[in-house]
Amino acid sequence: LLADDLVHKRFSEHTQLLALLSGRLETGKAARAAEGLFTAPDLDRATIYFSHYYFEVCRRLNRMDKFFERMGLWFYLKEMGFKTPVEMPEPSRSDCHAWSSHPLFHYFATILGVRPAEPGFRGVVIEPRLGSLTWAKGRFPHPGGGWIAAEFRLEEGKLRARVELPE
């Protein structure tokens, strides 16, 4: 794994995530960093807000199993009685942390897979990652006017899609 310090005593998800997202690791080193990210028991874990980068790596590596596993943090917050996302699990110093709301972004950009292909969303790429879900749908405003809507269903082992794009 990639170390957080020069003496190679500290290792964290943060370093592995940013290294993997950089796209600059050699293939073998990237594979080892990804494997360690998902299996090393003693890595310092990313907090809720930094998990945005974890979700980006899960999308790139098509590890939606790990994506949904990490989403458990947000479901735990609901069980704890929170109405807004916190910065990190207890002890939390912020009970309303906007940066921890990124699952809303990832619902559209990762699960539904709708991302801009060009500046200003003039083009769109759609690469859904349902993981273990059998369906997902959503709709959000396009910056040029109108809506982008997408619905995906797994039926008899086949992905069925309905997508609406503005002009």
Side-chain angles (χ1 to χ4, degrees):
L1 294 173
L2 291 112
D4 293 3
D5 57 7
L6 294 176
V7 293
H8 297 95
K9 297 259 186 215
R10 296 203 59 209
F11 296 85
S12 70
E13 285 184 345
H14 304 77
T15 301
Q16 312 322 303
L17 294 169
L18 295 178
L20 287 164
L21 290 173
S22 77
R24 306 294 295 165
L25 295 178
E26 298 169 8
T27 303
K29 192 173 268 192
R32 288 189 304 276
E35 178 65 22
L37 173 66
F38 298 131
T39 62
D42 55 349
L43 280 181
D44 289 338
R45 301 291 167 210
T47 56
I48 290 176
Y49 87 90
F50 205 89
S51 291
H52 164 74
Y53 303 103
Y54 185 91
F55 291 156
E56 283 293 295
V57 167
C58 289
R59 180 187 68 84
R60 281 196 185 181
L61 300 178
N62 202 25
R63 289 299 307 265
M64 294 305 288
D65 57 324
K66 295 298 185 179
F67 177 98
F68 287 111
E69 185 179 296
R70 180 64 57 98
M71 277 299 302
L73 290 172
W74 281 264
F75 297 117
Y76 175 70
L77 294 176
K78 185 177 178 185
E79 289 176 23
M80 295 289 295
F82 286 101
K83 304 290 185 205
T84 58
V86 297
E87 181 179 8
M88 56 192 236
E90 295 298 339
S92 178
R93 62 180 186 153
S94 171
D95 288 352
C96 184
H97 203 73
W99 290 357
S100 299
S101 298
H102 58 82
L104 295 172
F105 166 81
H106 285 286
Y107 182 76
F108 292 101
T110 300
I111 295 172
L112 293 177
V114 179
R115 292 181 179 237
E118 300 174 54
F121 237 122
R122 288 189 305 270
V124 64
V125 173
I126 302 174
E127 298 175 336
R129 303 262 198 282
L130 297 182
S132 61
L133 299 176
T134 58
W135 69 273
K137 70 178 183 177
R139 178 177 107 127
F140 62 97
H142 184 275
W147 294 86
I148 295 177
E151 179 176 359
F152 302 100
R153 292 188 179 280
L154 278 175
E155 295 175 354
E156 299 175 8
K158 294 183 180 180
L159 181 65
R160 307 276 185 210
R162 185 182 63 77
V163 175
E164 295 176 24
L165 299 171
E167 290 296 319

